[in-house]
């Protein structure tokens, strides 16, 4: 079968399109014929060796897949050949087939296409965990989402609206803000043309923002923290801007606020049943149209490098999907 391989830490153009052996389902495993594999920003960091998870070489990028079960190992119940499923795989999704533990595969309804299904797991899983489990949200509170048109940011806008929050989308262009408004945001703030701290204070009548969802980091993190409300919650999601900010801790004291880390992958390993319930809920919401799981664009497997460069250039609004 065909696969995109990373055999040493490298840039997207150095990835290799190669033939490898087909996987075989072991005990408790299923083999999925992949119809769609979703990419995330951390895939770039992973192939560069800059991510906290460093798989053994050679590996493929892409941590979430959707497809059809092709074969089943011994001891598997509740799934059968031909079932349409999604699975979170960590890495190795950029290939034609993959063997995964049966427990990690969740069935998807017939009316949910593979592209949208593949894009549900990590961005929406992260956003739902952040908002439900870490943010302690109360209906009517304000939620500021940085990088609001990206995959995780867009998910936070949609889920924040579903949870009854007033959503402020923050992004670097008016086009991105308009896109976020179509996906749940109530108002927008362009931090390329307006001061983020002052803008957030103005939009909240000086009170500050109750919950800040930050997958961007860099210079925007401290500016947003300075606009947080008393007893607000600052959610550290990631660092798409590249720089990990060093926050003045006196701000936490002066604001009486919390800075809360959101490490979805580690939480999943410690709470597999809750995560599975979350994923089943998200798949249902996607099939019902309550969340968009919007696909920005798709690429054939051989063009994985081009797909990753779209993410690196922050050009995507929604998910970038590979078609093996």
């Amino acid at each position: 079968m065909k696969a995109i391989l990373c055999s040493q830490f490298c840039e997207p153009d150095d990835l290799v399109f190669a033939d490898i052996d087909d996987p075989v389902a072991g005990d408790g495993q299923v083999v999925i014929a992949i119809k769609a594999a979703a990419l995330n920003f951390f895939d770039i960091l992973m192939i560069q060796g800059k991510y906290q998870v460093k798989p053994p070489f050679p590996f493929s990028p892409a941590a979430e897949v959707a497809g059809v079960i092709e074969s089943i190992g011994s001891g598997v119940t509740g799934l059968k050949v031909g079932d349409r499923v999604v699975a979170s795989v960590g890495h190795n999704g950029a290939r034609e087939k993959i063997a995964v533990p049966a427990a990690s595969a969740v069935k998807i309804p017939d009316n949910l296409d593979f592209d949208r299904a593949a894009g549900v797991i990590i961005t929406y899983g992260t956003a739902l965990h952040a908002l439900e489990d870490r943010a302690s949200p109360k209906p009517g509170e304000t939620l500021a989402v940085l990088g609001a048109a990206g995959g995780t940011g867009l998910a936070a806008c949609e889920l924040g609206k579903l949870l009854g929050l007033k959503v402020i989308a923050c992004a670097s262009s008016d086009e991105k803000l308009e896109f976020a408004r179509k996906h749940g945001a109530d108002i927008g703030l362009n931090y390329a043309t307006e001061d983020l701290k002052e803008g957030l204070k103005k939009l909240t009548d000086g009170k500050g923002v109750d919950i800040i969802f930050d997958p961007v980091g860099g210079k925007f993190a401290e500016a947003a923290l300075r606009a947080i409300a008393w007893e607000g919650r600052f959610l550290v999601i990631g660092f798409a801007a590249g720089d990990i900010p060093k926050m003045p801790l006196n701000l936490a004291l002066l604001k009486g606020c919390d800075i809360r880390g959101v490490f979805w992958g580690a939480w999943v390993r410690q709470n597999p049943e809750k995560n599975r319930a979350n994923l089943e809920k998200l798949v249902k919401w996607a099939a019902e149209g309550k969340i968009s799981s919007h696909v920005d664009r798709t690429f054939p497997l051989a063009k994985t490098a081009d797909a990753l460069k779209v993410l690196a250039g922050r050009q995507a609004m929604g998910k970038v999907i590979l078609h093996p």
Side-chain angles (χ1 to χ4, degrees), residues 6 54-59 91-92:
C6 175
K54 295 178 173 61
F57 298 121
F59 68 88
H91 57 279
N92 283 345

Side-chain angles (χ1 to χ4, degrees), residues 162-227:
L162 276 177
L163 294 173
L165 302 173
K166 181 179 180 180
V167 180
I168 303 171
C170 305
S172 59
S173 73
D174 291 340
E175 179 190 11
K176 290 179 178 179
L177 291 176
E178 181 59 30
F179 180 71
R181 285 192 193 96
K182 292 177 180 176
H183 291 83
D186 296 289
I187 45 181
L189 192 160
N190 184 336
Y191 48 54
T193 59
E194 188 174 354
D195 183 88
L196 180 59
K197 180 187 79 170
E198 296 304 324
L200 289 175
K201 285 187 174 181
K202 183 179 178 181
L203 290 173
T204 56
D205 297 322
K207 174 182 179 289
V209 180
D210 297 302
I211 302 167
I212 295 170
F213 183 98
D214 181 17
V216 178
K219 65 181 180 180
F220 298 112
E222 184 178 331
L225 183 61
R226 289 183 179 274

